[in-house]
Amino acid sequence: MTGAMSTSPRTLISRPPSEGATERVDPISCLDERTLSHASDAEAPGPGRYLEVQGAGRTLLIPIGSEVIHIGRGLSAELHLDESSVSRRHAILVPRVSGARILDDRSSNGTFVNGRRVQQADLSDGDVIVVGRVLLRYLEI
């Protein structure tokens, strides 16, 4: 069958993403050994606050203690994400008595919470944080 009615699946796949859409990466592959050693599988976490990192077929929880967490590509970041879209100093997560607050650290690609670019934002359970092309979720259990 020929003509304008036939559609090639290859054509559908090769379309550029719509404006504002970002291709995501496997964030677990971006984590360094130090972070991976503190992370746990999401099977049965104890009570606390966590950053959830969903990878291909695996979900990890990174515990949030009482110390400030610097997020970025730089080696000094406590949450080191080795991904080119993440700035060396991308964001700062500040634990507080009532939840946590995230601050953008003058990043190139911005820090987003639930789809909105923020300079700073209070986080609630389930909030989705995007730094560069890496997606994280803030959880209170």
Side-chain angles (χ1 to χ4, degrees):
M1 179 179 241
T2 63
M5 297 302 267
S6 65
T7 303
S8 167
R10 176 175 260 165
T11 304
L12 295 175
I13 294 171
S14 65
R15 282 188 203 163
S18 60
E19 188 174 332
T22 302
E23 180 183 334
R24 301 283 179 236
V25 298
D26 180 1
I28 292 177
S29 68
C30 301
L31 297 174
D32 66 352
E33 289 300 319
R34 179 182 55 184
T35 303
L36 286 171
S37 70
H38 290 98
S40 61
D41 288 319
E43 299 292 323
R49 293 182 284 186
Y50 300 89
L51 284 177
E52 179 186 71
V53 182
Q54 290 185 349
R58 185 176 179 199
T59 300
L60 294 178
L61 295 178
I62 300 169
I64 299 171
S66 59
E67 300 294 321
V68 169
I69 299 173
H70 292 87
I71 302 169
R73 191 170 33 100
L75 295 176
S76 64
E78 288 86 15
L79 179 49
H80 176 80
L81 299 170
D82 190 17
E83 212 294 305
S84 63
S85 64
V86 176
S87 296
R88 285 182 184 91
R89 294 176 38 181
H90 200 105
I92 302 169
L93 184 70
V94 182
R96 301 176 351 159
V97 174
S98 59
R101 185 171 191 82
I102 193 154
L103 301 99
D104 185 78
D105 197 7
R106 300 174 307 219
S107 66
S108 298
N109 293 322
T111 300
F112 294 80
V113 175
N114 298 328
R116 296 185 57 203
R117 188 172 186 154
V118 299
Q119 291 301 312
Q120 56 184 328
D122 290 323
L123 297 174
S124 299
D125 184 34
D127 281 350
V128 174
I129 304 162
V130 178
V131 291
R133 296 187 303 165
V134 177
L135 187 139
L136 308 165
R137 185 181 314 269
Y138 174 76
L139 296 176
E140 295 177 353
I141 299 174

